[in-house]
Amino acid sequence: MVSDWVSKEMESVDIGDKRLNERLTEVLSMMAATPSKSIPSAVNGGHNETTAAYRLFDNGRVDFENILEPHIDATYERLAQEQTVIVAQDTTELDLTRPKVQVEGAGPLDGNSRFGELLHPLVAFTPNGTPLGTLSGELWTREHGPSKADDRKNLPIEQKESVRWLDTHRHAQEIAQQYPETQIVCVADSEADIFEVIELEQESPENFQWIIRSCYDRSLVSAGSDEATRLHEQFTNCDVIYRKQIHVRGRDQKLACDRRARKQPRNSRQCEVEVRAMTVTLRSPHRPDRKLKNTTVNAVLAQEVDPPEGDVPVSWLLLTNMPISTEKEIEFVICYYCIRWMIEIFFRTLKSGCRIEARRFETIERFERCLAVSMVIAWRTLYTTRIGREYPDVSCECVFTADEWQPVYQLVTKEPPPKKAPTLSRMIRLVARLGGYVDRARDDEPGPDSTMRGMERLHDISACWRSFGPAAQLIGS
């Protein structure tokens, strides 16, 4: 039986064959029920079902784009219903390294020690962090390891991997033009601090805003002075506008040789930051193939006060075209940038929850088809986790059917299910408890990992309830 949400999500699917459309919908529904399991386990271990699933991923008429297309269509529908949407772009490595024989078509990720593919999606979120879905996704493999910095320096951006930031930023502008009633805010980390991307501000529609974390201490244009000044230096003369408490997530160092401050290990903690803001004009850098224009942007600096000894202090320098004339407007810049972290959680859900890197496919094309399916599942998991925070008091039946919430309620609470469905927030906590979540404080919300594990158990519990529960007994009598 195909899940109701899958039927709705895949409503516009059109691979060119009705049977393929139905098979894709069925495979998505089965894999979504148990996303961490192998494909044979997800399709209940039947020979015919397993063969049909693998034939789908081996079919040349099916590809990453047309699998993801109906989900993108559904994401646009959700986006159109929102006043403000944060669209985050980022890149993640998909490590497919195998002990002996590598996946056919996989490329090197760092020299010749790891092999796989790179994914760069544009994912939409509400201002509260609820994912609306994927709006675009770019995949590519490297034929060779990264070229030397001197070689890359003289290449036009169109011939570099970094063009993905420019293309996706431009795509976000096009989305804003298509949906003039929705405020689109495109956010990106410091890898997007590319002058060609910032210069696109001059082409932005009115309902398009952007935030990019600064990576470089850029040169500024100073009015009435020929002396060069730098962005960080300019902030030393800027007054503190206000202070605020923020929670900093801990991180481990991935590469011991990476000395950049933003890549150093950090402990999770509450910290106080000083916030400054000003408008600056960035001096255009030299490019051998084109002439760039000086560009005026707003800049917001959030810098930690008295960081712990030996730990890397928090320092966010954000470039944006959002207004910064009031404390509230500056706060919007910081809050919207923080939503960018949700795309990292999306990647973690895709890798840890859906175990996409552990899928054993012989070719990169088969892997990409499975990846598209898993991206829809990762979105749904994260959506289920977050929607209860945004709409805690609505009925859980906006997400869960009666034969899903009733058996879970009885199993977890040890009480008969009530006539009136519990709230969505309550139900998500019950599901997460099935996945190991300890419900000990109202402000301690369940995360995607425990929710996904709980959803897998919910699938089996719901199937038993339909077969042996009160409704089945009534039918049998």
Side-chain angles (χ1 to χ4, degrees), residues 16 51 57 72 110 117 127 158 176 193 197 227 234 264 376 378 451:
T51 301
F57 295 133
I72 292 175
D110 53 358
E117 194 166 28
E158 289 79 11
D193 185 10
V197 176
E227 295 184 7
Q234 194 76 359
Q264 299 309 302
V376 181
T451 302

Side-chain angles (χ1 to χ4, degrees), residues 351-404:
K351 295 178 182 181
S352 299
C354 298
R355 301 180 66 245
I356 186 60
E357 292 175 315
R359 302 294 182 188
R360 297 290 176 174
F361 290 100
E362 295 179 351
T363 68
I364 200 70
E365 291 81 12
R366 296 173 187 170
F367 168 78
E368 290 176 352
R369 294 166 190 137
C370 185
L371 171 64
V373 171
S374 296
M375 287 175 66
V376 181
I377 297 171
W379 159 76
R380 179 66 182 185
T381 300
L382 198 51
Y383 173 82
T384 304
T385 303
R386 300 289 303 190
I387 193 68
R389 304 183 192 184
E390 189 157 355
Y391 304 104
D393 299 325
V394 303
S395 170
C396 72
E397 290 190 332
C398 69
V399 175
F400 300 95
T401 60
D403 55 12
E404 289 176 335

Side-chain angles (χ1 to χ4, degrees), residues 203-241:
E203 307 171 16
S204 297
E206 291 184 3
N207 64 319
F208 178 78
Q209 295 173 326
W210 56 269
I211 307 168
I212 294 174
R213 184 174 175 182
S214 174
C215 179
Y216 305 107
D217 190 13
R218 293 193 177 277
S219 179
L220 305 181
V221 176
S222 300
S225 175
D226 294 332
E227 295 184 7
T229 58
R230 293 285 179 176
L231 184 56
H232 288 82
E233 179 186 352
Q234 194 76 359
F235 266 108
T236 60
N237 302 319
C238 185
D239 295 332
V240 175
I241 298 175

